[in-house]
Amino acid sequence: MNNMDFAVLAITRDNGMLAAAVEIFQTYWPLFWNGIKITLLIALSGTIIGLAIGLVVGGIRAAAQPDIRDSGAAQVAKRVVLFVTGIYVEVIRGTPMMVQAMFLYYALRPVLGWTPIPAGVVIVSINTGAYMAEIVRSGIQSVDRGQTEAARSIGMNAGQTMMLVVLPQAIRNAFPSIGNEFVVNIKDSSVLNVISVTDLYFQSLSISGSVFLVQETFLVTAAIYFVLTFTTTRILGMIERRMNRSKSSYPASQTVPKMNMLKEEGKK
């Protein structure tokens, strides 16, 4: 233990926990900052990639819902698709991310030769994708079927209807849940310390082991996590309110003209 660590212990004895926590932050802020950067990198990357996975899987699951108008072969194909995608969704949502991290990291390391941080991004992305798939699927199903019928009536094909009409509305409807996944990932990235990802939690463990002040160190860590999640929640709330104002700026009578505009954009 160096003189700096003894100074922290002395402050704890003389001035209490809060003073020690402030001293730990002032002394070790570079380590906390490095942990914050890794945490935000993994949470943001994992959420964005997970959303992309969710858009694909959720869109497929929404489109594969059985319809009485389908032929027998089409119904069988849809059931197979739902079964395969359902396995991914249920297995990932039914197992802890810590277990997934341990299994995927050590199972694929001999093949991919990856390091903890890229592995952490992949693990969070796969985990988030399963949740995003159900969020996107429910968002698609929440879009009024009349929107789809109106788009098809003006000549849009199925792909244009999905990309230009359904998905934008589905994402807007599901945005609170999508944003919540980002907040959850900021906190849940801490489980990646089991594969030695040097995030905020990992750095906090290292600091507490150096100064032997667990409560004081994790008081600082808890405050940092709170600031990160609180700030993120406020930013997402501002974005959601702006999206809602944008939605309300179009009167119902302009639905068809707006779709004509979308159709022209799709041709470009």
Side-chain angles (χ1 to χ4, degrees):
M1 185 181 297
N2 56 37
N3 293 333
M4 183 190 308
D5 299 330
F6 278 119
V8 174
L9 285 172
I11 290 176
T12 300
R13 296 189 185 101
D14 296 339
N15 301 323
M17 181 186 299
L18 185 59
V22 172
E23 181 66 21
I24 289 171
F25 178 75
Q26 291 175 342
T27 304
Y28 292 99
W29 70 265
L31 294 180
F32 284 117
W33 175 238
N34 288 336
I36 291 170
K37 289 189 291 185
I38 298 299
T39 294
L40 291 178
L41 170 66
I42 291 176
L44 183 59
S45 301
T47 303
I48 293 173
I49 299 173
L51 176 59
I53 295 172
L55 287 172
V56 174
V57 177
I60 290 173
R61 287 179 62 79
Q65 294 299 317
D67 193 308
I68 57 175
R69 295 171 294 182
D70 293 333
S71 64
Q75 290 192 13
V76 171
K78 285 185 175 183
R79 291 185 185 279
V80 170
V81 169
L82 287 174
F83 177 74
V84 173
T85 55
I87 289 176
Y88 163 65
V89 171
E90 295 301 330
V91 169
I92 296 299
R93 298 203 326 163
T95 55
M97 187 161 67
M98 182 180 291
V99 175
Q100 297 165 16
M102 291 290 287
F103 175 78
L104 292 174
Y105 177 66
Y106 290 106
L108 297 178
R109 189 170 64 169
V111 178
L112 302 177
W114 57 8
T115 55
I117 292 178
V121 172
V122 171
I123 291 161
V124 172
S125 300
I126 292 173
N127 182 274
T128 304
Y131 290 92
M132 288 292 192
E134 289 301 284
I135 291 171
V136 170
R137 182 184 62 81
S138 63
I140 290 174
Q141 292 178 341
S142 71
V143 176
D144 191 336
R145 191 174 182 84
Q147 299 285 318
T148 301
E149 294 173 353
R152 299 302 296 272
S153 70
I154 62 173
M156 286 189 179
N157 58 37
Q160 290 175 322
T161 301
M162 178 61 71
M163 295 301 298
L164 300 176
V165 178
V166 178
L167 273 183
Q169 295 184 70
I171 292 174
R172 182 166 53 202
N173 293 342
F175 184 79
S177 297
I178 294 172
N180 185 63
E181 282 299 309
F182 178 42
V183 175
V184 169
N185 284 339
I186 292 176
K187 298 180 290 184
D188 284 359
S189 63
S190 60
V191 306
L192 297 176
N193 77 93
V194 298
I195 58 172
S196 301
V197 172
T198 55
D199 68 332
L200 177 58
Y201 181 80
F202 185 93
Q203 297 286 11
S204 300
L205 282 178
S206 301
I207 294 168
S208 65
S210 298
V211 300
F212 301 103
L213 297 172
V214 177
Q215 289 179 311
E216 292 79 358
T217 302
F218 279 92
L219 176 60
V220 176
T221 306
I224 293 173
Y225 272 118
F226 175 77
V227 170
L228 293 177
T229 56
F230 182 82
T231 304
T232 300
T233 302
R234 299 283 82 75
I235 293 173
L236 292 172
M238 291 172 57
I239 296 173
E240 182 183 352
R241 287 192 293 273
R242 175 166 293 186
M243 292 173 67
N244 289 335
R245 285 199 298 269
S246 175
K247 178 181 177 181
S248 63
S249 64
Y250 290 97
S253 61
Q254 293 187 5
T255 299
V256 173
K258 185 182 177 184
M259 286 189 175
N260 278 313
M261 179 181 66
L262 291 174
K263 180 184 176 183
E264 294 301 320
E265 290 178 357
K267 292 180 179 179
K268 296 179 181 178

